[in-house]
């Protein structure tokens, strides 16, 4: 277990706390400013700030490399010069020429044969360690930006219609979709233990959907909101599906430890694409009745809250989460996010005075248990011979 893996595990705990806190703040925002699209668009677009940071980092690193390589080259030149003056090889070559043992024809054949192999090996090494160009990173960002935007929008739309705990539980089923999509794309493997975990988790999701939840203020959860709560659950599941797809694609493009693509630059291009190309989606969403008529926040305080939540809850936490995926595995990162389930439930109890039925609590426990089983499935399969 390298330092990147350990750092990824530490970042998972940080992201869990940030996500639950941001979800609570987002739900409070929706009580006065119910605009899921605007909140999503702002949060995703703000990631464009990573582009100047990434380019400044590249410039600084290249400057250090040039200075370092120049110093090393000067030192090597000095060493080679001094070594050549005192080298016994000069005398040896002179003796070989005098004795006539230096066969020009044979040497030309040897040199030509060695020259034939060297460029090929060098070329293969260069191709293996070739860094993607800025254009290639931008192309990847433009491909996966819509998937990330859809994931964020479904999550916020779910928060606008149901509780943080319910949204968290349903979104946490993304581990199951990550597993199946990863197996389909060759990024993961399936076994009996993982299938059992899928069944346990899906049963838990069904129980949380059927379980009851209520708050001290019953006016917030009247019977008229029942339909909206079911729609919120649907959005939560759709968010989990798109999240699983994005996670696997992110790992596929970035490599085992992020050696293929600069994650910071990639998320910067995702923000740029969202800012430039996805603003128009508010019109069809409003026409279909999914999104209310667009309005701007009605107070400066609300502006500040929305902006701060966008920076912390999207720009910062999403980048940390991406590092978790790249430095560990998509499944480990996704399963780690299931820790939001108990934390969100406690937060709802403390902040909103919400209560949960026994079925709901048992269902949440099953979802978490399913994720734990998946996490240790490889060990179980080896011990049991499955």
């Amino acid at each position: 277990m390298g330092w990147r893996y350990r750092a990824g595990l530490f970042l998972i705990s940080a992201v869990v706390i940030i996500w639950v806190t941001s979800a609570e703040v987002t739900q409070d925002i929706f009580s006065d400013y119910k605009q899921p699209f605007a909140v999503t668009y702002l949060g995703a677009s703000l990631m464009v700030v990573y582009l100047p940071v990434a380019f400044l980092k590249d410039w600084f690193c290249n400057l250090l490399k040039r200075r370092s390589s120049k110093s090393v080259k000067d030192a090597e030149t000095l060493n080679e010069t001094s070594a050549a003056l005192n080298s016994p090889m000069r005398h040896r070559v002179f003796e070989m020429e005098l004795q006539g043992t230096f066969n020009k024809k044979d040497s030309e054949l040897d040199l030509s044969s060695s020259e034939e192999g060297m460029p090929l090996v060098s070329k293969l090494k260069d191709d293996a360690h070739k860094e993607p160009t800025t254009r290639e990173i931008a192309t990847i960002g433009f491909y996966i930006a819509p998937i990330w935007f859809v994931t964020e929008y479904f999550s916020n739309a779910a928060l606008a219609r149901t509780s943080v705990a319910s949204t968290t539980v349903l979104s946490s089923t993304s581990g199951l979709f990550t597993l199946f999509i990863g197996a389909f794309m060759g990024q993961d493997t399936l076994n009996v233990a993982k299938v059992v975990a899928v069944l346990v988790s899906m049963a838990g999701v069904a129980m949380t959907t059927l379980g009851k939840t209520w708050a001290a203020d019953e006016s917030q959860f009247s019977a008229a909101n029942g339909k909206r709560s079911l729609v919120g659950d649907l959005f939560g599941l759709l968010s989990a599906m798109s999240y699983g797809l994005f996670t696997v694609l992110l790992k596929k493009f970035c490599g085992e430890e992020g050696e293929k693509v600069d994650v910071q630059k990639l998320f910067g291009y995702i923000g740029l694409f969202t800012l430039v190309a996805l603003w128009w989606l508010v019109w069809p969403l409003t026409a279909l009745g999914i999104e209310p008529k667009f309005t701007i926040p009605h107070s400066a305080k609300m502006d500040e809250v929305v902006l701060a939540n966008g920076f912390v809850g999207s720009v910062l936490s999403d980048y940390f989460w991406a590092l978790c995926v790249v430095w560990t595995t998509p499944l480990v990162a996704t399963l780690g996010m299931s820790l939001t389930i108990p934390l969100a439930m406690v937060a709802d109890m403390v902040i909103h005075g919400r209560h949960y039925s026994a079925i709901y609590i048992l269902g949440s426990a099953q979802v978490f248990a399913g994720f734990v089983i998946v996490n240790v499935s490889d060990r179980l399969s080896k011990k049991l011979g499955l």
Side-chain angles (χ1 to χ4, degrees), residues 12 72 75 95 136 141 160 188 195 218 225 255 264 291 295 320 333 385:
I12 285 174
V72 172
E95 291 176 2
E136 290 172 343
D188 207 338
V195 173
E218 289 294 336
N225 289 334
Q264 196 174 60
E291 189 75 16
T295 59
F320 284 169

Side-chain angles (χ1 to χ4, degrees), residues 183-205:
F184 178 76
M185 298 183 68
Q187 299 291 310
D188 207 338
T189 57
L190 286 175
N191 54 43
V192 175
K194 292 179 180 179
V195 173
V196 171
V198 169
L199 298 177
V200 171
S201 296
M202 294 309 294
V205 171

Side-chain angles (χ1 to χ4, degrees), residues 355-369:
H355 303 278
Y356 298 91
S357 64
I359 295 178
Y360 191 102
I361 296 175
L362 182 60
S364 299
Q366 281 196 214
V367 171
F368 186 75

Side-chain angles (χ1 to χ4, degrees), residues 15-311:
V15 172
V16 165
I17 296 174
I18 294 175
W19 275 8
V20 173
T21 304
S22 177
E24 293 288 350
V25 173
T26 301
Q27 196 166 57
D28 289 339
I29 291 173
F30 288 155
S31 63
D32 296 325
Y33 181 66
K34 187 168 288 188
Q35 297 285 337
F37 180 87
V39 173
T40 303
Y41 178 77
L42 176 65
S45 298
L46 283 174
M47 291 194 296
V48 73
V49 300
Y50 282 126
L51 278 182
V53 175
F55 284 117
L56 184 63
K57 180 188 68 176
D58 288 346
W59 174 82
F60 185 71
C61 291
N62 290 332
L63 180 64
L64 292 179
K65 286 181 180 179
R66 284 197 298 268
R67 290 186 176 181
S68 177
S69 61
K70 184 178 180 181
S71 300
V72 172
K73 187 175 181 180
D74 293 340
E76 289 178 350
T77 303
L78 182 61
N79 292 335
E80 288 175 0
T81 303
S82 60
L85 292 174
N86 301 319
S87 176
M89 286 299 296
R90 296 175 64 237
H91 304 287
R92 177 61 179 164
V93 171
F94 183 70
E95 291 176 2
M96 291 171 64
E97 290 177 347
L98 289 177
Q99 295 174 3
T101 58
F102 189 85
N103 191 316
K104 183 176 180 181
K105 184 175 180 180
D106 292 341
S107 65
E108 287 178 353
L109 290 174
D110 293 340
L111 288 173
S112 63
S113 62
S114 62
E115 288 174 355
E116 288 177 2
M118 288 302 293
L120 179 60
V121 176
S122 177
K123 185 176 180 180
L124 290 175
K125 289 183 178 179
D126 291 341
D127 291 341
H129 296 87
K130 183 181 179 182
E131 294 183 359
T133 63
T134 299
R135 182 174 181 177
E136 290 172 343
I137 296 176
T139 302
I140 295 173
F142 293 163
Y143 281 150
I144 64 179
I147 303 175
W148 182 243
F149 183 83
V150 166
T151 302
E152 291 284 275
Y153 177 74
F154 282 148
S155 178
N156 286 328
L159 284 173
R161 293 167 171 83
T162 187
S163 67
V164 173
S166 295
T167 302
T168 301
V169 169
L170 293 171
S171 297
S172 295
T173 59
S174 57
L176 311 177
F177 300 109
T178 301
L179 176 62
F180 286 126
I181 296 173
F184 178 76
M185 298 183 68
Q187 299 291 310
D188 207 338
T189 57
L190 286 175
N191 54 43
V192 175
K194 292 179 180 179
V195 173
V196 171
V198 169
L199 298 177
V200 171
S201 296
M202 294 309 294
V205 171
M207 292 175 70
T208 57
T209 305
L210 297 175
K212 294 181 179 180
T213 174
W214 65 95
D217 185 4
E218 289 294 336
S219 62
Q220 295 180 2
F221 301 96
S222 60
N225 289 334
K227 183 178 179 180
R228 294 175 62 252
S229 179
L230 290 176
V231 174
D233 292 343
L234 176 61
F235 280 137
L237 281 174
L238 291 175
S239 175
M241 293 179 187
S242 55
Y243 174 96
L245 176 60
F246 181 87
T247 304
V248 175
L249 290 176
L250 180 65
K251 183 69 174 183
K252 183 179 179 66
F253 287 130
C254 292
E256 288 300 322
E257 293 186 350
E259 73 280 359
K260 291 183 179 179
V261 173
D262 185 342
V263 179
Q264 196 174 60
K265 194 177 294 184
L266 176 63
F267 267 64
Y269 280 115
I270 291 176
L272 178 62
F273 181 83
T274 301
L275 178 66
V276 174
L278 299 181
W279 56 269
W280 60 272
L281 290 175
V282 67
W283 292 336
L285 290 173
T286 303
L288 293 173
I290 299 175
E291 189 75 16
K293 186 178 179 180
F294 175 76
T295 59
I296 60 175
H298 52 76
S299 66
K301 183 178 180 180
M302 182 60 67
D303 287 339
E304 295 173 357
V305 172
V306 171
L307 192 62
N309 187 58
F311 267 110

